Amino acid sequence: MLSIGLILVMFLIGFLGSFLSGMLGVGGSIVKYPLLLYVPPLFGMAVYTAQEVSALAMVQVFFATLGGVWAYRKSNLIDKRLVLDMGVSIVIGSLIGGYGSKFTPGEAINLIYGIMAVVAAVMMLKPGRKENGDGQKTGEKFHYNRVIAIGSSFIVGILSGIVGAGGAFILIPIMVSLLGIPLRVTIASSLAIVLLSSIGGMVGKIMAGHVLWFESAILIVGSLLGASFGAKVGQTANRGFLQGTLAVLILLTAVKVWYDILF
């Protein structure tokens, strides 16, 4: 059984991580991974392996994206063909990555996370597009390179499956910059794609035996409450400031991971 202190810490990690991600509209694993890795040991409560942390993060991603897809279910912004193209390949990739994490040293998982965190921070620090700059109208048709879409999502799936991330913070820039997908369609469709990715990744983690079910349950409760509250606050907050703040947080975390690996 977990101590009361550890239960409270896990709940707060779920709440805080999803509160921040809820304000920005991104997945929460990029925040929860370092919190789960460093906060419990900081208070002398528990030490989780990189494999266990990535499994906890992947379970949270599933429920977070499921809620997002449910919110978009009545809109026409989720492009079914795009979700099918990228979703199938990312599921296969995340299954491989999720199960492959069983044979991946913890240092390697942290290294992959560190690289992804740096890339995510750089992308978030870039000036954002204006909301009306995508030119997308509901139901409007668009074209994209299916080879790039399938190949890139497969690679993102493998990496995300290893570290326990949904991959939205990497997928969104790929979809907008490389594939030319309208921004609003990208946001909605990426949720569905990452939901599929998290299914594959979570199954891989379960097969690898890394899922801690009791901790996962506490994390999910905190995540659902935090994401809902964060989304409400994010509607009135300055998005550019929030993105910059999160980018700095992710970059500092990446520096910490790199420092632990090198020194």
Side-chain angles (χ1 to χ4, degrees):
M1 292 294 293
L2 302 181
S3 66
I4 298 298
L6 183 56
I7 291 175
L8 179 60
V9 167
M10 295 297 290
F11 176 83
L12 291 176
I13 288 176
F15 184 90
L16 177 61
S18 289
F19 174 77
L20 292 174
S21 61
M23 286 192 293
L24 299 172
V26 297
S29 61
I30 195 67
V31 177
K32 288 189 179 69
Y33 184 95
L35 292 178
L36 290 167
L37 192 61
Y38 297 119
V39 173
L42 182 64
F43 290 95
M45 295 178 176
V47 177
Y48 298 109
T49 66
Q51 289 89 347
E52 291 171 338
V53 169
S54 65
L56 287 169
M58 183 59 77
V59 172
Q60 179 274 329
V61 168
F62 170 76
F63 284 94
T65 53
L66 180 63
V69 171
W70 180 259
Y72 275 102
R73 70 189 187 280
K74 293 183 179 180
S75 74
N76 293 321
L77 293 174
I78 297 180
D79 187 88
K80 296 180 181 178
R81 181 184 178 186
L82 179 64
V83 171
L84 183 61
D85 281 347
M86 301 188 76
V88 172
S89 59
I90 203 172
V91 165
I92 296 173
S94 62
L95 264 171
I96 295 173
Y99 184 70
S101 65
K102 179 178 182 179
F103 311 101
T104 306
E107 293 81 3
I109 293 179
N110 288 337
L111 177 62
I112 294 172
Y113 171 79
I115 294 174
M116 295 178 72
V118 170
V119 173
V122 171
M123 289 179 174
M124 287 185 178
L125 282 171
K126 288 183 178 181
R129 285 178 168 78
K130 294 181 180 180
E131 286 299 315
N132 60 356
D134 57 7
Q136 174 68 11
K137 296 180 180 180
T138 302
E140 182 179 338
K141 299 298 181 181
F142 55 89
H143 301 281
Y144 59 90
N145 189 311
R146 299 185 69 186
V147 175
I148 294 178
I150 294 172
S152 61
S153 59
F154 177 72
I155 295 173
V156 170
I158 292 177
L159 297 177
S160 299
I162 291 175
V163 303
F169 63 99
I170 297 294
L171 273 182
I172 289 177
I174 290 176
M175 294 168 71
V176 172
S177 301
L178 294 183
L179 301 178
I181 307 299
L183 183 59
R184 294 187 187 279
V185 176
T186 292
I187 294 173
S189 299
S190 66
L191 284 170
I193 294 169
V194 174
L195 174 60
L196 295 177
S197 169
S198 67
I199 293 174
M202 189 166 61
V203 170
K205 297 297 184 184
I206 294 174
M207 291 172 61
H210 293 153
V211 177
L212 304 174
W213 295 107
F214 196 74
E215 286 92 333
S216 295
I218 299 172
L219 193 64
I220 290 168
V221 173
S223 296
L224 293 175
L225 294 175
S228 176
F229 186 55
K232 293 180 180 179
V233 174
Q235 291 176 6
T236 57
N238 183 287
R239 188 175 183 84
F241 171 76
L242 294 174
Q243 285 182 325
T245 302
L246 183 55
V248 172
L249 174 62
I250 294 172
L251 187 57
L252 290 175
T253 300
V255 170
K256 169 63 175 174
V257 172
W258 278 99
Y259 180 84
D260 289 345
I261 292 174
L262 297 176
F263 303 103

